[in-house]
Amino acid sequence: MPAPPPARRASLHAIKEGPNPMANTVLTLKKKVDEGHKVTMVTSYDYTMAALTEAAGIDMILVGDSLGMTMMGYDSTLPVTMDDMVHHTRCVTRATENTFVVGDMPFMSYQASLEQALENAGRLMKEGRCQAVKLEGGARCVEQIRAMVEAGIPVVGHLGLTPQSVNAFGGFKVQGKSEEAARQLVDDALAIEAAGAFCIVLECVPANLATYITERLNSAFTIGIGAGNGCDGQVLVVQDMLGMTAGGFKPKMVRQFAQVGQVVVDAFHAYDEAIQSGDFPSSAESYKDLDPEVMNQVRSN
């Protein structure tokens, strides 16, 4: 019997070796939390940034619908479509082998019906090739979460400041500040955990309330953003943490770990100056001249 072609040999090798032992999974992430370690997550929306994130050993990437604001220039996440999310999620997953990638379900992609929710979540998994999906909302999303989990789709929940509800909240504000609102957040967290969510993002929630919610959960772990250090992990928008936001805007919850935006601007200035002065491209950055005889023949025609 002839040997299989190289591509087939590679796939047979993968089957023999089994799953990538270095890859983060729902189980390895939960084990990390159970052993007392923190989970790291950043947003990423493209191949290059995802490759850098993987090289740094970050546990999780969220392909957030925040790409509507960071990558597309909208003033909210509401205009983002399923096509947008599938496109950017696939860009990210092409660059990752070990990082656990979560694709965001955009506004009105899961609210209308269970059928709609399952179809769109399945599309994000099949076409985007992510390992889980994220959706915003508490008790009102229980049926969608349960249906997705039963279909074999891992789900991340999102409570607190949920940007898709920014109009209902009257702006980007801290959530859970009253006793009633705080109790509702706790109840919502327990409800979506019971429905099968393995992880819950807590955004713009008082730190002690986020810590309490984290302590109340059993099977799910928490990822905080503007929710204090009592959560099981943290997430930041990559453009925020790298100092790449237009106009230098920095939300209270963000720490800028670098000023990449200024580095890029300085590089563009230097590039422009080198071109204007004739310094770029130099001979070292140019290809070898044509043979003079050949060049003379070109000029004679």
Side-chain angles (χ1 to χ4, degrees), residues 4 9 35 39 43 69 76-77 81 93 102 106 108 111 114 126 137 142-143 153 171 176 226 229 231 251 266-267:
R9 287 199 297 269
E35 292 176 348
V39 173
T43 66
M69 303 170 76
S76 75
T77 64
T81 67
T93 56
V102 180
M108 292 309 298
Q111 290 93 336
L114 291 183
K126 290 179 67 175
V142 162
E143 293 306 314
I153 300 172
N229 63 10
C231 295
D266 291 345

Side-chain angles (χ1 to χ4, degrees), residues 78-152:
L78 301 185
V80 177
T81 67
M82 273 304 302
D83 285 344
D84 294 331
M85 291 309 308
V86 168
H87 171 81
H88 284 275
T89 301
R90 189 66 188 108
C91 291
V92 167
T93 56
R94 287 192 189 101
T96 55
E97 292 184 2
N98 302 327
T99 314
F100 190 95
V101 178
V102 180
D104 225 345
M105 299 285 290
F107 181 59
M108 292 309 298
S109 66
Y110 56 92
Q111 290 93 336
S113 67
L114 291 183
E115 291 76 14
Q116 177 210 39
L118 281 173
E119 180 180 353
N120 284 325
R123 185 180 172 203
L124 199 51
M125 296 283 288
K126 290 179 67 175
E127 298 178 40
R129 305 294 296 275
C130 56
Q131 285 78 55
V133 302
K134 181 178 77 65
L135 56 132
E136 298 180 5
R140 63 183 174 82
C141 294
V142 162
E143 293 306 314
Q144 289 94 323
I145 293 172
R146 184 174 292 115
M148 291 176 188
V149 173
E150 288 177 354

